[in-house]
Amino acid sequence: MSTIRDFRRDTPPMTAQAESAARARLLAAAREPEPRREQHPEPLREPRTIRQAAIRQATTAGDARLVTRPALPNAT
Amino acid sequence: MSVETAEIDDAELIRRSVGDREQFAVLFDRYARQIHLYAARRIGTQAADDIVAETFLAAFRRRGSYDLSYPLARPWLYGIATTLVARHRRQEERMLRALARTGVDPLPEPIADTVVRRVAARDKERELAEALASLSRGDRDVLLLVAWEGFSYEEVAQALGISPGTVRSRLHRARRKTRAVLGDEEL
């Protein structure tokens, strides 16, 4: 005999009423329409648009670095 | 459960439920009662009613992130249920301490029960209740999943999102604290 395995082993099982209510809640959630995001996914951008955006971002970041970088000594 | 779904593993059901959402109810039919018993032994039947409903709602909403390489969803579902039980941690510890102190288990019974069974607990049960109440929540989770539900270390790790090594160390610590009651009982 195991003390811990038998601890509260005689706890009453789930009632049919509680089971049916919980199952009904699950089914109601399953029947709800999908969230809007899933029904209307954002259209994919054209590859060219993505490339342009990436170039624009890289150029801007590069500008910022140039502005903040201290001047380098001249090469000898 | 239909014959058609009886032999399909949980991962396949979850995969199918992405397209056919009501397939998820088969998982409910498989595990709701055992999860209810687990929660009810910890925090009482009435709270367990809510835990079961919320566990399956949460699982349904997160089914897209389920790792389909695990054919059995039981540990995943118990993990969600255990997280929900944690919200009742103080209630759980209060009831365990009351049982240890008085020998009467205050675990709430269903209202429909006309005869409330309040059997005086044996000394060993009282000591065990005190020992369980003194454990940290994480140690208690591991101990009860192993002892009551027969989970392997790997299943507990999957359920609680911890490593098998952490499961081993938590179980070792829990066993050390409950040794006075459990002796050398195997878990």
Side-chain angles (χ1 to χ4, degrees), chain A:
Chain A
M1 193 176 82
S2 166
T3 310
I4 190 160
R5 279 189 202 136
D6 291 339
F7 186 70
R8 288 175 172 166
R9 183 166 246 177
D10 58 353
T11 299
M14 191 179 199
T15 63
Q17 190 183 10
E19 185 175 349
S20 144
R23 199 175 194 281
R25 279 180 69 184
L26 175 63
L27 286 175
R31 287 168 189 155
E32 278 171 10
E34 288 282 358
R36 191 175 172 81
R37 188 161 37 87
E38 289 180 40
Q39 283 179 341
H40 305 286
E42 190 181 335
L44 289 173
R45 288 182 180 176
E46 290 285 324
R48 200 175 60 177
T49 318
I50 295 172
R51 206 163 42 240
Q52 285 171 343
I55 291 168
R56 199 164 41 246
Q57 193 177 4
T59 311
T60 313
D63 287 347
R65 273 200 299 275
L66 282 174
V67 167
T68 54
R69 185 178 294 170
L72 294 172
N74 291 332
T76 53

Side-chain angles (χ1 to χ4, degrees), chain B residues 25 40-41 67 69 121 169:
Chain B
R41 286 173 86 175
D67 182 348
S69 66
S169 62

Side-chain angles (χ1 to χ4, degrees), chain B residues 81-154:
Chain B
T82 300
T83 303
L84 293 169
V85 165
R87 293 182 189 166
H88 301 261
R89 182 175 56 86
R90 288 205 177 86
Q91 181 192 344
E92 179 179 33
E93 290 171 2
R94 201 167 44 240
M95 289 194 294
L96 285 169
R97 291 214 161 89
L99 168 60
R101 199 173 52 249
T102 66
V104 175
D105 197 343
L107 205 70
E109 299 286 325
I111 293 169
D113 278 7
T114 49
V115 180
V116 179
R117 294 186 304 113
R118 289 182 181 274
V119 180
R122 293 173 299 138
D123 288 347
K124 251 190 161 184
E125 284 175 349
R126 295 175 67 171
E127 289 171 27
L128 177 59
E130 181 58 43
L132 287 174
S134 72
L135 296 178
S136 72
R137 180 172 65 80
D139 292 356
R140 190 164 54 236
D141 289 343
V142 170
L143 180 67
L144 297 182
L145 285 172
V146 171
W148 287 354
E149 307 304 320
F151 274 31
S152 66
Y153 289 4
E154 287 71 24

Side-chain angles (χ1 to χ4, degrees), chain B residues 8-15 27 30-31 71-74:
Chain B
I8 299 174
D9 71 30
D10 300 339
E12 175 60 15
L13 275 172
I14 292 170
R15 193 190 64 75
L27 278 186
R30 284 181 184 172
Y31 298 114
L72 290 178
R74 188 169 177 256

